[in-house]
Amino acid sequence: MFDYLIVGAGFAGSVLAERLASDGKKILIIDTRSHIAGNAYDHYNEAGILVHKYGPHIFHTNSRDVFEYLSNFTEWRSYEHRVLASVDGQLVPIPINLDTVNKLYGLKLTSFQVEEFFASVAEPKDYIRTSEDVVVSKVGRELYEKFFRNYTRKQWGIDPAELDKSVTARVPTRTNRDDRYFTDSYQAMPLHGYTRMFESMLSHPNIKIMLNTDYREIINVIPYGEMIYTGPVDQFFDYRYGKLPYRSLEFKHETINTPLYQPVAVVNYPNDHLYTRVTEFKYLTGQEHNKTSIVYEYPRAEGDPYYPVPRPENAEIYKQYKALADATKDVHFVGRLATYKYYNMDQVVAQALTIYNKLATRSKSNYEENGHALAVTAT
Ligand code: FAD
Ligand code: UDP
């Protein structure tokens, strides 16, 4: 008898498996895929190069708790991410910074002057609501069109004016020369890769792993106490309120017979091609190899669900599913798909640790009240 059936072996499921197992709970963690680590899964390809199967995963966080927690399972390699955008025939830094403007327009502005430049082209808004508002109100329409409009339409299949402000607000605007994609206090990659880190998290005698299996195949066969569900929330409830839109991607991996392909880890293509960006993995991993592996990301409406789509009508649908989820007492919904949140890895880890603390506190108070641990019943 398992205390918990955990559906999904990504960050959400694996963190909870590890925490609960360390408290003595018996865990069955299950995934439809043939591997652990969810979307963070990495592996050595046929050329022997470490690649991320589901696109580039760069770890960054401001949370000391999250970083210290994951440090129990991996050593780290310091890595600060840099991205260039291919615009008007040049490769320029994104997030837009002082160098971006100077290079694009052949200018020699100072930080102070570029601030004045942004102020002169920005379109002030009383209320920032959409992903268009965020950018246009900071850097004006021309830069918005060069860097954001078409990339966003390609990535999401809708115009930035129809997407919540939180989407493009992920990418800041700078007036200095800082060309890092992130400014978090912790920026590092697991030294031996994500999958190795997950293997370490899940290597506990109380954790059994079952791969290539949908939880619906086993829930009536294998007894368990409670469920932790990290798959798409609408699917769990058989799409009772309709489908929640998730955006998908197709990844085209390639290995090239040259040591280096592009000048930085990621090049974004806002205006050209059907793909959004090209990632060269050796920058992320620091691996040395005489060949190099890259991945192209082609946005898709259908396919594996990768991104919740933040916009008001979807938030309304999710609200209905959340009410159902809250009323389903023996199932805990955690992670990017189950809570329909555009979360980075560290946010999912933080969310999972919070849920764990709630479960552990509940279990402790039950113990104190009843003199025995919470009884778990088979469903
Ligand atoms: P997932 O990793 O999706 O895990 C859920 C698991 O549940 C999956 O393995 C799935 O197979 C399984 N599952 C679903 N349904 C069932 C079922 N019925 N039965 C059994 N198993 C099931 N974050 C960052 O911090 N930095 C980045 O650079 C970054 N880059 C990203 C790039 C891309 C292209 C994508 C798509 C995401 C990126 N992320 C990044 C986000 C990151 O992938 C997520 O935050 C994180 O992986 C979410 O973890 P999770 O456990 O919630 O979900
Ligand atoms: N974005 C853009 N142009 C860029 C980079 C980002 O328009 O060059 C927008 C786009 O809508 C994208 C969002 O900003 O989906 C968030 O970008 P991020 O790089 O954080 O996306 P992720 O890595 O999550 O796919």
Side-chain angles (χ1 to χ4, degrees):
M1 163 84 178
F2 292 99
D3 296 310
Y4 287 92
L5 169 64
I6 300 188
V7 180
F11 270 102
S14 298
V15 167
L16 275 153
E18 186 283 326
R19 288 288 70 215
L20 291 164
S22 75
D23 280 350
K25 302 284 191 266
K26 299 265 189 261
I27 309 295
L28 175 62
I29 186 165
I30 182 167
D31 207 301
T32 43
R33 289 171 166 164
S34 59
H35 57 73
I36 58 170
N39 286 337
Y41 175 70
D42 54 15
H43 67 109
Y44 286 88
N45 65 13
E46 59 300 331
I49 298 173
L50 184 60
V51 299
H52 299 181
K53 180 167 183 181
Y54 305 100
H57 278 70
I58 294 108
F59 187 80
H60 56 100
T61 189
N62 283 317
S63 165
R64 187 171 157 174
D65 285 350
V66 166
F67 190 73
E68 285 184 352
Y69 170 71
L70 292 177
S71 302
N72 292 315
F73 313 105
T74 187
E75 292 169 67
W76 299 95
R77 166 182 187 261
S78 280
Y79 171 73
E80 289 187 320
H81 192 48
R82 287 181 169 77
V83 181
L84 294 173
S86 172
V87 170
D88 294 347
Q90 299 197 72
L91 292 180
V92 294
I94 175 89
I96 294 173
N97 70 10
L98 174 62
D99 288 328
T100 312
V101 174
N102 281 339
K103 204 165 172 198
L104 208 56
Y105 296 115
L107 299 170
K108 287 190 175 159
L109 302 181
T110 62
S111 278
F112 180 67
Q113 288 167 321
V114 88
E115 211 168 313
E116 287 182 336
F117 168 77
F118 286 151
S120 73
V121 291
E123 291 178 15
K125 305 263 171 208
D126 289 337
Y127 184 67
I128 308 285
R129 191 174 52 81
T130 72
S131 268
E132 178 183 308
D133 296 343
V134 171
V135 183
V136 169
S137 68
K138 272 196 203 141
V139 299
R141 201 153 286 276
E142 185 168 306
L143 288 170
Y144 162 71
E145 285 182 359
K146 285 184 194 294
F147 288 85
F148 286 90
R149 182 157 191 252
N150 297 329
Y151 186 112
T152 301
R153 290 170 73 113
K154 203 170 10 173
Q155 169 75 8
W156 298 94
I158 51 179
D159 195 83
E162 296 174 70
L163 264 180
D164 204 86
K165 64 181 175 192
S166 59
V167 176
T168 53
R170 290 167 61 89
V171 184
T173 304
R174 304 197 181 115
T175 53
N176 58 21
R177 303 189 61 199
D178 187 350
D179 63 347
R180 294 171 306 160
Y181 207 68
F182 309 111
T183 51
D184 302 49
S185 34
Y186 301 92
Q187 302 189 44
M189 299 289 286
L191 185 61
H192 302 293
Y194 289 97
T195 304
R196 281 279 288 276
M197 179 174 82
F198 276 79
E199 281 167 2
S200 165
M201 283 168 96
L202 295 176
S203 73
H204 189 288
N206 287 351
I207 301 177
K208 297 278 176 284
I209 304 171
M210 188 183 276
L211 299 174
N212 300 305
T213 312
D214 192 303
Y215 78 97
R216 289 166 293 194
E217 296 170 51
I218 58 104
I219 38 169
N220 296 319
V221 184
I222 298 181
Y224 65 92
E226 298 187 18
M227 183 190 288
I228 286 162
Y229 180 79
T230 75
V233 62
D234 56 345
Q235 190 186 77
F236 185 88
F237 292 110
D238 293 325
Y239 309 104
R240 193 177 306 181
Y241 301 122
K243 276 202 156 192
L244 267 172
Y246 293 89
R247 192 73 174 153
S248 193
L249 291 171
E250 194 175 321
F251 302 100
K252 194 170 152 261
H253 286 266
E254 237 175 62
T255 295
I256 307 166
N257 206 353
T258 169
L260 271 190
Y261 173 74
Q262 60 189 26
V264 282
V266 172
V267 176
N268 287 357
Y269 292 89
N271 307 311
D272 316 304
H273 310 295
L274 294 173
Y275 48 84
T276 48
R277 59 187 177 190
V278 179
T279 299
E280 184 166 6
F281 291 107
K282 279 165 50 177
Y283 285 101
L284 310 184
T285 59
Q287 189 179 358
E288 291 188 9
H289 199 290
N290 56 7
K291 294 184 184 175
T292 195
S293 291
I294 59 174
V295 66
Y296 300 85
E297 292 173 56
Y298 292 86
R300 297 276 184 258
E302 302 297 327
D304 277 0
Y306 292 129
Y307 291 84
V309 183
R311 56 192 304 213
E313 47 268 66
N314 300 347
E316 279 308 307
I317 306 174
Y318 173 63
K319 221 194 250 173
Q320 293 180 284
Y321 281 116
K322 176 155 189 327
L324 266 187
D326 290 345
T328 310
K329 285 297 167 221
D330 50 356
V331 183
H332 309 280
F333 293 79
V334 194
R336 175 150 148 150
L337 304 172
T339 60
Y340 204 65
K341 298 274 183 315
Y342 187 176
Y343 274 165
N344 293 325
M345 295 180 280
D346 64 318
Q347 294 171 297
V348 172
V349 173
Q351 190 191 38
L353 291 175
T354 303
I355 301 278
Y356 162 72
N357 284 332
K358 279 193 194 141
L359 295 176
T361 313
R362 183 195 64 176
S363 176
K364 190 165 168 272
S365 64
N366 262 302
Y367 184 84
E368 281 163 4
E369 269 171 39
N370 306 327
H372 55 78
L374 182 72
V376 280
T377 46
T379 50

